[in-house]
């Protein structure tokens, strides 16, 4: 039950990031076309930048769990057995430390913005805690995803779920390189 909830959380965060990407497209097209026809979206640039931050941070956990996040794979792939496991644990502990640090401070910043009624200085008087939710929420979900993998790797001694199996053919190597945009 917990596994299904966590996987749904990561998937939901990925879908939310996708929706923010669509919102950026709509805002940018509206701003571009609006300039030509004399229509202005008040604070459109502000909304687009807030959507961009939410998209980037909400997409982190889904990207991590899908094995698409840039990792230290080139280094880890050189190790086998116990050394590989130890390096994987070290990498996750280091990543957990950074993700936890940034998630904690993002949540504190969002909470303080709410407490002090911090308002955006642009055309639209938006309470700042609302757009900051995407930033802090994305970092918290990333921390949960990394902690999930850490417990999975350390306590169960299994290979991480975010790690893709090695390519079996030259065509698969090319396909993965093309899909990653390299």
């Amino acid at each position: 039950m917990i596994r299904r909830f966590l996987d749904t959380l990561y998937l939901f965060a990925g879908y939310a990031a996708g929706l923010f990407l669509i919102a950026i497209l709509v805002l940018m097209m509206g701003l571009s076309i609006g300039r030509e026809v004399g229509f202005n979206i008040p604070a459109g640039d502000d909304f687009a930048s807030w959507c961009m931050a939410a998209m980037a941070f909400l997409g982190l956990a889904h990207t991590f769990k899908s094995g698409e996040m840039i990792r230290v794979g080139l280094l880890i792939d050189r190790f086998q057995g116990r050394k590989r496991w130890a390096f994987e644990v070290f990498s996750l502990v280091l990543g957990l430390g950074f993700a936890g640090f940034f998630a904690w401070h993002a949540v504190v910043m969002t909470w303080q913005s709410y407490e002090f009624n911090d308002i955006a200085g642009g055309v639209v008087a938006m309470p700042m805690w609302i757009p900051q939710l995407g930033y802090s929420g994305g970092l918290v979900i990333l921390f949960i995803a990394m902690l999930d993998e850490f417990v999975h790797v350390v306590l169960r001694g299994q290979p991480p779920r975010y790690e893709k199996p090695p390519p079996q053919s030259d065509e698969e190597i090319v396909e993965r390189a093309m899909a990653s945009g390299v």
Side-chain angles (χ1 to χ4, degrees):
M1 184 169 135
I2 292 174
R3 168 67 23 230
R4 188 171 27 194
F5 170 76
L6 289 175
D7 289 342
T8 303
L9 176 67
Y10 309 141
L11 186 62
F12 170 76
Y15 282 140
L19 290 175
F20 279 110
L21 181 63
I22 292 169
I24 293 168
L25 170 72
V26 170
L27 281 166
M28 297 307 291
M29 293 306 293
L31 287 168
S32 296
I33 294 170
R35 257 186 227 110
E36 298 298 320
V37 297
F39 176 74
N40 184 29
I41 299 174
D45 292 339
D46 292 340
F47 286 111
S49 63
W50 293 332
C51 286
M52 189 175 300
M55 177 206 60
F57 285 97
L58 285 171
L60 287 174
H62 186 265
T63 304
F64 174 74
K65 293 298 281 188
S66 301
E68 300 296 333
M69 189 172 277
I70 297 172
R71 299 179 36 243
V72 289
L74 290 174
L75 187 58
I76 290 177
D77 289 343
R78 295 180 181 264
F79 300 118
Q80 296 297 323
R82 192 81 174 145
K83 272 187 178 178
R84 182 183 180 106
W85 177 84
F87 196 78
E88 192 77 51
V89 168
F90 172 75
S91 299
L92 282 170
V93 167
L94 192 63
L96 269 170
F98 279 110
F101 175 82
F102 289 117
W104 173 261
H105 288 285
V107 168
V108 167
M109 179 189 71
T110 303
W111 179 253
Q112 287 175 343
S113 290
Y114 174 77
E115 271 190 332
F116 300 138
N117 197 26
D118 191 14
I119 304 294
V123 176
V124 175
M126 169 77 76
M128 285 305 294
W129 66 269
I130 295 173
Q132 289 171 355
L133 283 175
Y135 164 63
S136 57
L139 285 171
V140 168
I141 296 170
L142 174 65
F143 178 77
I144 292 168
M146 293 179 84
L147 183 63
D148 178 22
E149 282 301 315
F150 180 73
V151 169
H152 179 75
V153 171
V154 173
L155 294 182
R156 296 189 181 157
Q158 297 177 1
R161 289 174 290 214
Y162 55 76
E163 194 169 274
K164 292 183 175 182
Q168 301 299 321
S169 66
D170 292 340
E171 291 82 18
E172 192 174 350
I173 293 171
V174 172
E175 284 177 24
R176 286 189 187 181
M178 288 173 45
S180 70
V182 174

